[in-house]
Amino acid sequence: MLRDGREVLSSVISSQIALHAEHGGVVPELAARAHLEAIAPVVDAALRPLPGGWDDVDALAVTRGPGLVGCLLVGALYAQGAAAARGLPIVGVSHLAGHVYSAWLAGRHFEPPLLALVVSGGHTDCIELREHGVAERLASTRDDAAGEAFDKVARMLGLEYPGGPAIQREAESGDPDRFPLPRTHLDSAFSFSGLKTAVRYAIRDLGPDMVGADGVPRDAGAVSAMAASFQRAAVDQLVWGLEQAVERTGAEQIAVVGGVAANAALRSAVTERFSGLTVVIPPLALCTDNAAMIGAAGWHRLQRLGPDVHGFAVDPSLAEFA
Ligand code: KG4
Ligand code: ZN
């Protein structure tokens, strides 16, 4: 629940991590069912701080895409039902715009232009937000998203899902120089497949005695050093890509958003490297998926374009920045 698009009155998150952890990743059918079970209690909890409950709500925002169709449908149909029943305006926004607009919830006052590095389980994008709602994608990933690479490498190391926080924890006690891993530097693009493959080979090169039947290194020191080496290489690649985009655009304000922006090594590398610029990195809880960021993007969209008509469709592969 947001006031004026910037102030978070409540942010309720129903995590499905435990549900998916045993499968090592998100199972779409389970995710959609869990959304259906969670949505009414989550909305009720989000309304709790409002003295008038629903009567105090002026408008609704909901994710229109991209994402898993079952999950998008649960959210969009619930929100459109509520909007129709209460005669409220509603806007459908993109998940990507939500991540970019999470920067506006970081407690700083600024306006576009803004260069945003969106790093999540589904995205590795450099987005230039020229003005509200007007965005250009300067670079995106050719293969895995950054978060996906964290998740896959964590799995190779026998660490739990989601991999990002697990890699970060392991990396704290690991030697980042023990395994020399390559960096992929591309023009206007990111790529994580080379780095991922290099981790696979580095594990293999430990030798058969050092690797269990499941392919995971037996030695805890090797696991933490591999996590640290991977994390450093991934952060280097992201910072390098951001540097290119800053040079190209002359950006003076940058934001790092999305689940991987919760990574402590990335946060400090960006803050240090771009110390001469305005750097906005939202608090951890607003980096990983949350409804407040969708509210922020929706509020800005409502100001500019007014409400959507009732009955708009979800789009699992929505490419538009809306
Ligand atoms: O934005 P998000 O919550 O969901 C998507 O839209 O995908 O991002 C989830 C991703 C996962 O891949 C997770 O491993 C990663 O963010 N992540 C992290 C950290 N916390 C979450 N990656 C690196 N370090 C972290 N501390
Ligand atoms: Zn996300």
Side-chain angles (χ1 to χ4, degrees):
M1 204 63 59
L2 296 187
R3 179 184 286 137
D4 298 334
R6 286 177 195 243
E7 189 190 342
V8 182
L9 301 179
S10 63
S11 177
V12 180
I13 293 170
S14 166
S15 171
Q16 296 189 10
I17 285 176
L19 174 69
H20 300 298
E22 58 184 290
H23 305 280
V26 175
V27 182
E29 180 62 23
L30 294 182
R33 285 178 199 212
H35 270 64
L36 199 51
E37 282 166 15
I39 194 152
V42 163
V43 171
D44 286 349
L47 287 168
R48 222 161 277 147
L50 302 185
W54 272 111
D55 290 343
D56 290 346
V57 176
D58 299 321
L60 293 171
V62 68
T63 308
R64 192 154 74 80
L68 296 170
V69 68
C71 302
L72 292 170
L73 279 171
V74 170
L77 294 177
Y78 191 92
Q80 294 193 51
R86 305 206 145 256
L88 291 172
I90 182 168
V91 282
V93 301
S94 85
H95 187 77
L96 187 65
H99 275 304
V100 170
Y101 275 93
S102 70
W104 267 267
L105 301 175
R108 299 270 284 272
H109 276 272
F110 61 95
E111 289 301 321
L114 173 77
L115 181 66
L117 175 68
V118 186
V119 272
S120 70
H123 289 282
T124 311
D125 290 309
C126 256
I127 306 271
E128 187 187 17
L129 190 71
R130 299 223 172 108
E131 48 191 90
H132 285 300
V134 180
E136 192 189 336
R137 198 183 304 243
L138 301 176
S140 58
T141 181
R142 291 231 175 121
D143 36 64
D144 286 347
E148 221 177 336
F150 271 87
D151 294 340
K152 287 179 180 169
V153 168
R155 204 198 272 218
M156 288 184 224
L157 296 176
L159 305 174
E160 78 268 29
Y161 169 87
I167 296 254
Q168 177 175 323
R169 220 174 304 119
E170 278 297 319
E172 278 165 19
S173 59
D175 171 7
D177 296 319
R178 177 160 159 199
F179 299 101
L181 298 173
R183 274 69 168 154
T184 306
H185 291 160
L186 300 173
D187 246 2
S188 309
F190 295 95
S191 166
F192 288 92
S193 65
L195 180 54
K196 216 177 50 189
T197 307
V199 170
R200 181 165 290 124
Y201 287 161
I203 295 173
R204 185 199 61 189
D205 293 346
L206 290 170
D209 297 346
M210 296 291 286
V211 179
D214 53 0
V216 171
R218 292 183 201 278
D219 172 35
V223 169
S224 53
M226 198 75 81
S229 305
F230 164 76
Q231 179 176 267
R232 177 171 288 180
V235 167
D236 280 354
Q237 288 191 181
L238 291 171
V239 171
W240 191 87
L242 192 51
E243 270 170 8
Q244 301 302 302
V246 168
E247 267 173 34
R248 255 174 68 195
T249 56
E252 291 174 0
Q253 307 187 111
I254 58 177
V256 186
V257 297
V260 182
N263 185 272
L266 178 61
R267 297 170 84 90
S268 55
V270 170
T271 311
E272 208 173 290
R273 172 62 190 82
F274 301 101
S275 57
L277 307 181
T278 301
V279 178
V280 182
I281 312 180
L284 299 193
L286 295 171
C287 288
T288 43
D289 286 350
N290 63 87
M293 69 187 198
I294 302 301
W299 186 85
H300 280 93
R301 184 178 161 88
L302 191 62
Q303 307 301 308
R304 282 185 310 112
L305 302 174
D308 287 333
V309 289
H310 286 275
F312 61 82
V314 301
D315 182 350
S317 50
L318 183 69
E320 183 193 340
F321 185 91

